[in-house]
Structure formats: structure tokens, C-alpha cells
């Protein structure tokens, strides 16, 4: 049994009778067992996955028509609810909690006959950029286990990177799909805010959170998006727009009008070697017949402060529900009044990073500081939305780095949270504006680690986003093939 390069190649073999869903599940279960040191999975649904695979195989033998994701092996981030399965947001405060319902995205995957193989590790309550904040230990980057995989969806990224599942779900509040995709050398999509229902997604910052998708290629990501996107009666923020054909691809003879943010490319925090690679890549695009133009964006240094003020404020509100009364961790200490009971339960249950963000959020919402911080951050968000909309109205897409550096060493930035937050400078932009963005692999650094390019388009223009991304990947694949031929 070997791994298939795409969902379509797997389905071709599946319906030709040269493989089965059961074969697939067994193959991935073996790989997951061998990769336990990466700590990507918190729980593996071995028995359930095998039973579901056997049922799908029986339906195929009976000549039944299966769903569009038949037998596709999917990993699920531990912030997305799956009925009858544990969901903890990688936090001690929810340790052992079993979900009473499934997220809409999960229900749609199951209806499409996908197989969910397990629950994936992440930063606690999706707060982090390294997956070092999980209550269940850090996830390791499969390319170099001394380095972080990125976060907060580190487990979801590594599961795809290491071939432990075909695709996976993550969540993206400020880059938590795109940044780990970059660090792990795979594809990571954050759709338009509202494109995928948030029903069943444990909230961090409700006006920023969006379920995202990891894969090895654009076609697989598009196939999953096709299934899980769309309106949802359970989520008032889910968009009512009709779901287009995300799997349609225009001819690659098309010339794109592209922009890059001049301030992003010349930002002092961007790795020098990466800056050179982006400049070279833009020149290659122009040589291929596309226009690539520098665009001014004066607000880059304000996006991270605005993002952290707004998201921590929303987190302070969202996480107030975890009080040890209704569910979650409850302190064992006796004879406490109600206020002390709340404090003790929450102090024991939440990790350091979550506490830091709750404190910051509570502060910026407090009397005397609300206008100085929260209101100002909302004003910055409005400016960002308007300016980005202005740029995107004139171009097919914006290109920019996903992150300012390649994956760093485990523990390298844990003592400096501000430096960690600033690493989100290129990704939070899309979340502030609610626009779709994707990270695709671009090059390898001289340190051996991959890094990607981020592509941003207008709201609800995922068809164009995926088309540009697919063209970029095809172009880069051709370039690599030429390099390999020259080495022969």
C-alpha cells in the first residue's frame, strides 16, 4: 500500500478496485503509530475509522454511489466538535470533556463519506504561533524535530506534512492555518470570514475565527472547501452567498494582474534571504507574462497591535464561560466562596498564554481604557478593510510573505511573547479584513526549512484565489523540474 498524491488519484484507484478504504485506513494508522514522537494526534479513532471504512467498501461492492470525499482520511483540530468524541481545545480546563454535537463542517464531511481518523493537537484555545502552548505537550516539525511546526494548528499541519492523513481541518484567527502551513511546506487555506460555518468551533475571537483547510495540493483543498462551505441555520455569521464551483480552473494561459505590498517586502523583520527569494519570484512571474506591481500600504505596523487588542478582548468575553460550574475543570479545594471558586478553577485550568490574553483583553475593555485601546483598534480595522479593498479592486490578487522567517527552534521565543506576536505581522491582515488567503510552498531556505508565499483576494473570491495559487504551484513545480533535469 502506498500513499496517493491526491484525492483524485486515490479515487481513481478506489473505484478501479486496486485499493480499498480499509487499506487506506490501515496504511495511515500504521504511519500515525510510527510518528507518535511528533505528538500531532491527541486521540486516534482506530476502531471507528476501520468500521466506517468497511461500511464504505461494502457500499462500493454493492454498486452504490458514494459522496465526493469517499474514503478520504481527514484529521480534525481539537477545537472543532465531533459528537461523542473528546474535545478539549488542548486545555486542562476541558480535559475529558465529550462533545454533545458535531460542528457543521464535521457533519458535512461525514455526509460526503470522509473518514475522520483522529483529533489533532494545537495551542491551547488556538492561542499561539508555535504549538508549544498545548496542555498536552508541543508538536514537533517533521522536517526538523528541533523546530516548531507553527501554530495554533500545528498538529493539523504536521499530520498532512508527515503523511498521517490526506487533508486536515484547522482554525485561523490570525494566521493559525497559513503560518503552520508555511513552516511545514504544505498548502493552508483560510477562506473568507463566514464562508464556512463556525457552528461547533470553540470560540477564541468570534469576529476573526474561521475554519481552514490543510492539504498537499490545491485540488484537495478545493474539494474539501466545496463540501464544507455554505450557509448554516445554526450560525448567523455564516455567509448566505451561493457556493460556487471551487474546483473549476481557468486556463493557465491567463495573465494575472498582481500586487505586492511594498511595506511588507521591505519590512525590517523579514529574513534577508527570503526577501531575495520573493524579489526573484516576482521577476519570474513578470517573465511569465503577469504584471506584478508594488502597492503602498501604510498601516502594516498597526495591524498586529490592533489584532491583539481586538482578539484578546473577544477572548476575555468568550472564555468567561469556563468557570468550573457547568462543565470543565473544577478545583478540588473546599470551603471557597463563589469568587474564590471561580478564580481557583480558572487558574488551575488555563495555561499561561491563555491567562495572559484574558488579562490583556479584560484590561482593554475596562472603564477608562476602552476608548484608548478597543475603540482605536476598531478604527484601525476599518482603515485596513478600506485600504485593502481599494488595492484588491485594482488587482486580481495580493502577494506577500506568509511569515517573516522560517520555523524557529523550540523554546527560542517562549520568553519573549512580544516577539512571538510580531511574527504574525503578515497573516493577521487577512483576518482583520475578513478576506480569503492561502499559503503555498515557495522555496527552501539555506537552513533547509521551507517557506511559502501568501496570496490574498477579495471577499468571497476563493475561486480566483485557488486559481492563482494553483498557477503559482504549477509554475514552481515546472521550475523545480527544470532544476532537477539540469542536475542529471
Amino acid at each position: 500500500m502506498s500513499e496517493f498524491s491526491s484525492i483524485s488519484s486515490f479515487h481513481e484507484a478506489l473505484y478501479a478496485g486496486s485499493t480499498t478504504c480499509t487499506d487506506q485506513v490501515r496504511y495511515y494508522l500504521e504511519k500515525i503509530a510510527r510518528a507518535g514522537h511528533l505528538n500531532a494526534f491527541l486521540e486516534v479513532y482506530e476502531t471507528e475509522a476501520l468500521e466506517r471504512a468497511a461500511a464504505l467498501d461494502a457500499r462500493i461492492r454493492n454498486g452504490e454511489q458514494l459522496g465526493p470525499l469517499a474514503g478520504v482520511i481527514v484529521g480534525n483540530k481539537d477545537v472543532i466538535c465531533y459528537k461523542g468524541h473528546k474535545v478539549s481545545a488542548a486545555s486542562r480546563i476541558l480535559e475529558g470533556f465529550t462533545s454533545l454535537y458535531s460542528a457543521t463542517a464535521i457533519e458535512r464531511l461525514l455526509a460526503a463519506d470522509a473518514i475522520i481518523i483522529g483529533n489533532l493537537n494545537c495551542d491551547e484555545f488556538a492561542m499561539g504561533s508555535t504549538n508549544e502552548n498545548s496542555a498536552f505537550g508541543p508538536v514537533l516539525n517533521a522536517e526538523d524535530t528541533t523546530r516548531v511546526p507553527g501554530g495554533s494548528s500545528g498538529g493539523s499541519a504536521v499530520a498532512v506534512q508527515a503523511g498521517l492523513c490526506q487533508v486536515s481541518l484547522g482554525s485561523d484567527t490570525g494566521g493559525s492555518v497559513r503560518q503552520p502551513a508555511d513552516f511545514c511546506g504544505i498548502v493552508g487555506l483560510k477562506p473568507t470570514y463566514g464562508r464556512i460555518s463556525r457552528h461547533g468551533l470553540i470560540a477564541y475571537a468570534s469576529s476573526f475565527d474561521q475554519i481552514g483547510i490543510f492539504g498537499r495540493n490545491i485540488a484537495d483543498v478545493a474539494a474539501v472547501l466545496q463540501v464544507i462551505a455554505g450557509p448554516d441555520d445554526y450560525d448567523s455569521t455564516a455567509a448566505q452567498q451561493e457556493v460556487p464551483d471551487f474546483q473549476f480552473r481557468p486556463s493557465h494561459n491567463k495573465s494575472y494582474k498582481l500586487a505586492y505590498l511594498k511595506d511588507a517586502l521591505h519590512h525590517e523583520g523579514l529574513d534577508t534571504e527570503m526577501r531575495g527569494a520573493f524579489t526573484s519570484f516576482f521577476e519570474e512571474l513578470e517573465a511569465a507574462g503577469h504584471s506584478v506591481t508594488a502597492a503602498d500600504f501604510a498601516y502594516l505596523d498597526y495591524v498586529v497591535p490592533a489584532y491583539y487588542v481586538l482578539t484578546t478582548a473577544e477572548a476575555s468575553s468568550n472564555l468567561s464561560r469556563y468557570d468550573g460550574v457547568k462543565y470543565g475543570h473544577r478545583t478540588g479545594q473546599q470551603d471557597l466562596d463563589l469568587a474564590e471558586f471561580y478564580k481557583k478553577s480558572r487558574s488551575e485550568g488555563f495555561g499561561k498564554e491563555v491567562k495572559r490574553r484574558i488579562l490583556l483583553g479584560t484590561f482593554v475593555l475596562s472603564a477608562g481604557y476602552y476608548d484608548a485601546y478597543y475603540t482605536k483598534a476598531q478604527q484601525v480595522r476599518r482603515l485596513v478593510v478600506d485600504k485593502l479593498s481599494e488595492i484588491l479592486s485594482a488587482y486580481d490578487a495580493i502577494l506577500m510573505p506568509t511569515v517573516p522567517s522560517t520555523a524557529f527552534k523550540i523554546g527560542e521565543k517562549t520568553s519573549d511573547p512580544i516577539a512571538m506576536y510580531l511574527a504574525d505581522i503578515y497573516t493577521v491582515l487577512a483576518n482583520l479584513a475578513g478576506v480569503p488567503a492561502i499559503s503555498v510552498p515557495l522555496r527552501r531556505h539555506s537552513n533547509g526549512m521551507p517557506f511559502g508565499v501568501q496570496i490574498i483576494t477579495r471577499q468571497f473570491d476563493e475561486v480566483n484565489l485557488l486559481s492563482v495559487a494553483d498557477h503559482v504551484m504549477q509554475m514552481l513545480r515546472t521550475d523545480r523540474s527544470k532544476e532537477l533535469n539540469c542536475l542529471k
Side-chain angles (χ1 to χ4, degrees):
M1 176 66 190
S2 60
E3 190 172 333
F4 293 95
S5 61
S6 65
I7 291 173
S8 61
S9 62
F10 161 59
H11 278 165
E12 187 177 336
L14 179 66
Y15 294 121
S18 56
T19 190
T20 65
C21 295
T22 301
D23 287 339
Q24 279 289 99
V25 170
R26 285 177 176 155
Y27 171 76
Y28 284 104
L29 288 174
E30 289 173 6
K31 289 197 73 174
I32 291 168
R34 291 197 301 270
H37 64 287
L38 298 175
N39 200 30
F41 280 85
L42 295 179
E43 187 176 3
V44 180
Y45 311 142
E46 180 174 353
T47 301
E48 177 185 317
L50 286 168
E51 289 174 351
R52 186 167 174 82
L56 291 172
D57 288 335
R59 289 172 59 192
I60 292 173
R61 288 193 300 271
N62 293 335
E64 294 182 39
Q65 184 172 352
L66 270 60
L69 297 180
V72 173
I73 309 300
V74 182
N76 183 42
K77 184 178 179 180
D78 187 38
V79 293
I80 302 173
C81 295
Y82 184 9
K83 185 177 180 179
H85 298 75
K86 292 177 182 175
V87 59
S88 69
S91 176
R92 295 293 181 195
I93 206 158
L94 278 176
E95 187 173 8
F97 177 74
T98 299
S99 181
L100 303 177
Y101 67 99
S102 290
T104 298
I106 295 295
E107 289 183 342
R108 290 175 178 175
L109 286 174
L110 295 174
D113 291 324
I115 298 173
I116 299 172
I117 202 162
N119 210 21
L120 294 161
N121 202 350
C122 59
D123 281 304
E124 184 180 6
F125 281 97
M127 297 182 186
S129 304
T130 64
N131 219 140
E132 293 173 286
N133 295 328
S134 170
F136 307 109
V139 176
L140 308 183
N141 193 313
E143 290 259 0
D144 179 350
T145 55
T146 68
R147 295 178 185 268
V148 301
S152 63
S153 309
S156 299
V158 169
V160 172
Q161 175 198 38
L164 310 182
C165 58
Q166 288 168 280
V167 292
S168 65
L169 296 187
S171 65
D172 192 312
T173 305
S176 290
V177 167
R178 289 159 290 148
Q179 187 248 26
D182 179 289
F183 278 7
C184 293
I186 59 173
V187 176
L189 168 70
K190 181 205 86 73
T192 304
Y193 179 81
R195 176 64 87 180
I196 299 173
S197 170
R198 291 186 299 111
H199 175 67
L201 171 65
I202 293 177
Y204 161 17
S206 302
S207 73
F208 291 80
D209 298 339
Q210 183 61 198
I211 290 174
I213 306 162
F214 292 94
R216 289 179 171 272
N217 56 67
I218 301 300
D220 286 1
V221 168
V224 175
L225 180 63
Q226 194 73 55
V227 165
I228 65 176
D232 180 19
D233 290 341
Y234 291 106
D235 179 9
S236 63
T237 66
Q240 297 302 306
Q241 275 88 342
E242 182 180 344
V243 177
D245 182 4
F246 295 121
Q247 297 172 88
F248 167 75
R249 293 289 172 274
S251 167
H252 283 319
N253 293 325
K254 177 181 178 180
S255 294
Y256 290 103
K257 188 177 181 184
L258 307 169
Y260 69 89
L261 301 186
K262 185 165 56 178
D263 302 83
L265 192 64
H266 298 292
H267 195 272
E268 61 181 4
L270 180 61
D271 177 271
T272 304
E273 186 177 329
M274 289 171 63
R275 181 182 293 115
F278 284 110
T279 301
S280 173
F281 172 58
F282 295 158
E283 291 171 354
E284 291 171 26
L285 285 169
E286 289 190 312
H290 308 289
S291 71
V292 184
T293 307
D296 291 317
F297 185 80
Y299 307 119
L300 191 65
D301 287 332
Y302 300 99
V303 296
V304 171
Y307 166 80
Y308 276 100
V309 166
L310 295 173
T311 56
T312 56
E314 293 186 22
S316 171
S317 175
N318 278 326
L319 271 63
S320 64
R321 70 193 70 180
Y322 303 105
D323 55 17
V325 175
K326 295 178 289 294
Y327 52 83
H329 173 77
R330 177 179 294 191
T331 183
Q333 191 168 330
Q334 304 296 316
D335 302 322
L336 298 173
D337 63 30
L338 189 59
E340 286 298 320
F341 170 81
Y342 285 157
K343 286 166 61 177
K344 194 70 176 174
S345 295
R346 288 164 63 83
S347 295
E348 292 172 0
F350 288 133
K352 184 184 294 184
E353 182 60 29
V354 174
K355 292 175 186 174
R356 181 184 292 124
R357 298 195 191 196
I358 290 173
L359 287 169
L360 178 57
T362 304
F363 172 77
V364 301
L365 289 174
S366 61
Y369 297 99
Y370 183 91
D371 288 333
Y373 293 102
Y374 186 78
T375 301
K376 289 293 184 192
Q378 290 285 30
Q379 290 169 345
V380 170
R381 189 178 197 180
R382 182 74 261 167
L383 291 170
V384 167
V385 169
D386 291 345
K387 184 60 179 177
L388 209 58
S389 177
E390 177 188 322
I391 295 171
L392 287 168
S393 67
Y395 297 93
D396 292 315
I398 293 172
L399 306 179
M400 61 191 298
T402 308
V403 290
S405 70
T406 58
F408 37 86
K409 297 285 186 179
I410 293 172
E412 184 178 327
K413 296 192 177 183
T414 51
S415 62
D416 189 352
I418 301 301
M420 192 90 76
Y421 296 165
L422 289 174
D424 296 334
I425 189 167
Y426 299 130
T427 53
V428 299
L429 187 59
N431 299 85
L432 277 166
V435 295
I438 193 168
S439 179
V440 298
L442 179 64
R443 298 274 194 271
R444 278 195 180 271
H445 197 276
S446 59
N447 63 17
M449 298 305 292
F451 62 92
V453 58
Q454 183 179 194
I455 306 166
I456 300 173
T457 57
R458 291 179 287 273
Q459 283 190 341
F460 301 105
D461 197 12
E462 282 88 356
V463 171
N464 185 46
L465 177 71
L466 293 166
S467 297
V468 174
D470 190 50
H471 181 76
V472 166
M473 290 194 73
Q474 294 281 0
M475 194 177 91
L476 293 170
R477 193 175 295 121
T478 301
D479 290 345
R480 290 185 189 113
S481 296
K482 290 177 181 176
E483 289 175 10
L484 290 172
N485 288 333
C486 290
L487 294 172
K488 290 180 180 177

